Amino acid sequence: MPSVRLSLQSLLSVRRVVVGGFFILLLLTGLLLHRDYGVSVDEPRHKLNGMVNIKYVGEMLAPELVRRQAGTELIPALKGYSENDHGVVFEVPMALLNFAFTRNDTQAAYWLRHLCIFLVFVAGVYALYGLATLRFQNWRWGLLTALLLVLSPRFFAEAFYNAQDIVFMALFTLSIYCLVCFLRRPSYLRALLHALATALAIDVRILGVMSVAFTLGMVGLELLLTPQAERSSEQPLFKATLLYLVAASAFVVMGWPALWEAPLINFVAIFRSMSHFSWHSKVFYFGQYLPGTQLPWHYIPVWISLTTPLPYLLAAGLGLAATLRRFWRGGWAYWRAREARLSLLLLLWLLTPLVLVIALHAVVYNGWRHLYFLYPALLLFAVQGLRALLHVGRHSPSWAGRGLAVGLVAAGGLEVGHTVWRMIRLHPTSRCTSAFCPPRPWSSSLTATTGAWPIGRAWSGCWPTIPAPPSPTAAIHGCCIVALYCYRKIRKAGLNTAGMPTVRRFNIF
């Protein structure tokens, strides 16, 4: 008995050291790299949105103090402001931090902002680790899933400056993790924590209401399929769910000043505004200029396939096929297992946003960034696919089957290593890394409407889709006025443009 206890303590200590070391290293990486990224095109507007809301709250609580602050008359009023339909749960704390620590220092303000975005990303990575650990019942698989998110070039780069999509992805992942914990051991405390995580996600982007829908659906399945003897008798699931709904509603209103005057009316108005989002520009896609409301169904799948490392995609497809096979063969008894319901939740998380965007012809642009929040679910299926492949390699009756499985795993590992090398080589433009193309950051097509995100000091909008031409004057196809403007500014300022082709024309694909 003492030997078992010692071995258990040893295992726990190894887990703490490895997991703790991973996240400490991740935090240190963020501290070292957060100053390498410039200001993205959306950040000034988001920053102003936080200041508008701070002014509104300040005028309610301490109007005299607000009037004494220099420059407050330049900040627009909240009522009627064009960005009211954007959540500010991240922007308001950032405005307060900037006011307290980086006043009159714009550079320091954006450095602090980028560091805080990365800290939220780390919280999302930890939530994914916890969710994967629960899903696979092994902390090593959980850590691998978290590592795959970090080793996703597009997401790692944007984790320093994308305060909308990356922050929403992290908080939505946190809400799903809290949901799984709540379903496993329902309690009033877990209901409140899940309500807070849900509200944070909604107060960044209103699509966070999907977490509420997932919660109600999964609670319904728990009540329908779980035997009464297996549920907690102290704090019933139904009552805890009611508390969750009430608390989540209250937290959403608290974190969104635009809702305060008329919470229900304003929330419905914002939901309608975002569900019929007006974006009148056009997207250049496969040689055509298309309105944002008339994109073909394959726009999002193509962008996912082009920006996700190939091993992740193939493993996710294998994991998705294995999950659907279990659903088909499992029968009614399979659905009584908690693992099956968790797999269903992950499947809904991955596919529901895709189906809604395709079916409703929702307005999307700049690639698939509006759907980044489904990426953690894709990684969970990727790890599931890897586990299935390893199972085949161990238990296949033929040497050919085992060899094929081992070869695929080895090839995938080498490609992941190549992805890491490209991330290092292209830093801080690793967002440009394509799943299929060589890492040539300047032999790329650049566009403001199909994936570009102009960043100071780094062309995060570069797109490696064509090989470098032998001529020193590159024919880069596309319509990116922003990229051309940035290029000419760099040349005019006399900065080093070594390795950059002379831009003549633009296109994509």
Side-chain angles (χ1 to χ4, degrees), residues 107-374:
Q107 184 183 60
Y110 280 108
W111 281 346
L112 177 62
R113 177 184 179 86
H114 291 177
L115 180 60
C116 290
I117 295 172
F118 187 78
L119 292 178
V120 177
F121 171 74
V122 172
V125 174
Y126 184 82
L128 181 60
Y129 158 75
L131 186 58
T133 300
L134 292 176
R135 171 67 182 87
F136 303 118
Q137 295 297 301
N138 188 305
W139 66 269
R140 295 175 182 84
W141 289 112
L143 193 60
L144 176 63
T145 311
L147 181 62
L148 293 183
L149 178 55
V150 175
L151 298 183
S152 300
R154 194 174 187 87
F155 289 83
F156 182 79
E158 293 193 27
F160 289 94
Y161 54 81
N162 189 341
Q164 282 285 309
D165 310 297
I166 293 296
V167 169
F168 178 64
M169 179 196 74
L171 295 177
F172 193 86
T173 304
L174 181 61
S175 73
I176 297 295
Y177 175 52
C178 291
L179 169 59
V180 174
C181 293
F182 172 66
L183 293 174
R184 285 176 173 264
R185 293 179 58 188
S187 69
Y188 294 135
L189 177 60
R190 292 185 178 221
L192 289 174
L193 292 175
H194 179 38
L196 179 60
T198 300
L200 290 174
I202 294 174
D203 284 347
V204 171
R205 182 162 281 167
I206 204 165
L207 268 175
V209 296
M210 292 182 64
S211 180
V212 179
F214 290 162
T215 299
L216 296 179
M218 297 308 297
V219 167
L221 285 178
E222 288 287 323
L223 295 174
L224 180 65
L225 299 176
T226 304
Q228 185 68 33
E230 296 182 10
R231 299 181 202 150
S232 173
S233 58
E234 297 179 358
Q235 296 174 325
L237 179 61
F238 181 75
K239 292 183 179 180
T241 304
L242 292 180
L243 175 62
Y244 159 78
L245 292 174
V246 174
S249 302
F251 290 149
V252 167
V253 175
M254 290 170 58
W256 204 334
L259 302 177
W260 288 1
E261 290 186 1
L264 183 59
I265 295 175
N266 289 345
F267 186 85
V268 171
I270 291 173
F271 188 85
R272 288 178 176 173
S273 172
M274 297 305 291
S275 60
H276 299 87
F277 186 71
S278 58
W279 190 74
H280 304 293
S281 298
K282 292 187 177 182
V283 174
F284 197 84
Y285 181 66
F286 278 111
Q288 301 180 33
Y289 290 97
L290 302 175
T293 55
Q294 299 180 17
L295 293 175
W297 66 268
H298 49 74
Y299 178 80
I300 293 296
V302 164
W303 269 104
I304 292 176
S305 65
L306 286 174
T307 56
T308 304
L310 186 58
Y312 303 178
L313 285 175
L314 297 179
L318 183 60
L320 188 61
T323 300
L324 293 176
R325 181 173 177 269
R326 284 189 179 183
F327 285 169
W328 181 260
R329 293 190 173 186
W332 180 254
Y334 176 67
W335 289 99
R336 291 189 173 274
R338 180 166 287 163
E339 177 189 355
R341 295 193 293 276
L342 179 54
S343 297
L344 177 62
L345 173 62
L346 300 181
L347 189 66
L348 292 173
W349 180 8
L350 176 65
L351 297 183
T352 301
L354 280 173
V355 172
L356 289 177
V357 167
I358 293 173
L360 301 178
H361 298 282
V363 175
V364 290
Y365 52 92
N366 288 346
W368 65 290
R369 64 184 183 88
H370 302 90
L371 296 181
Y372 278 0
F373 68 99
L374 61 79

Side-chain angles (χ1 to χ4, degrees), residues 24-72:
I24 290 174
L25 184 61
L26 184 59
L27 289 171
L28 291 176
T29 302
L31 288 173
L32 291 173
L33 301 182
H34 74 280
R35 295 188 178 191
D36 294 349
Y37 297 86
V39 179
S40 68
V41 68
D42 286 340
E43 285 189 275
R45 188 175 76 252
H46 294 158
K47 188 168 178 277
L48 178 60
N49 196 16
M51 297 168 65
V52 168
N53 283 267
I54 285 294
K55 178 182 177 181
Y56 172 78
V57 175
E59 287 176 341
M60 292 180 60
L61 301 178
E64 289 296 329
L65 178 62
V66 172
R67 277 193 287 269
R68 289 199 300 268
Q69 302 301 317
T72 53

Side-chain angles (χ1 to χ4, degrees), residues 37 157 426-433 441-442 457-460 462:
Y37 297 86
L426 291 179
H427 175 78
T429 60
S430 61
R431 183 181 187 269
C432 310
T433 304
W442 301 116
R457 299 176 59 196
W459 287 25
S460 76
C462 61

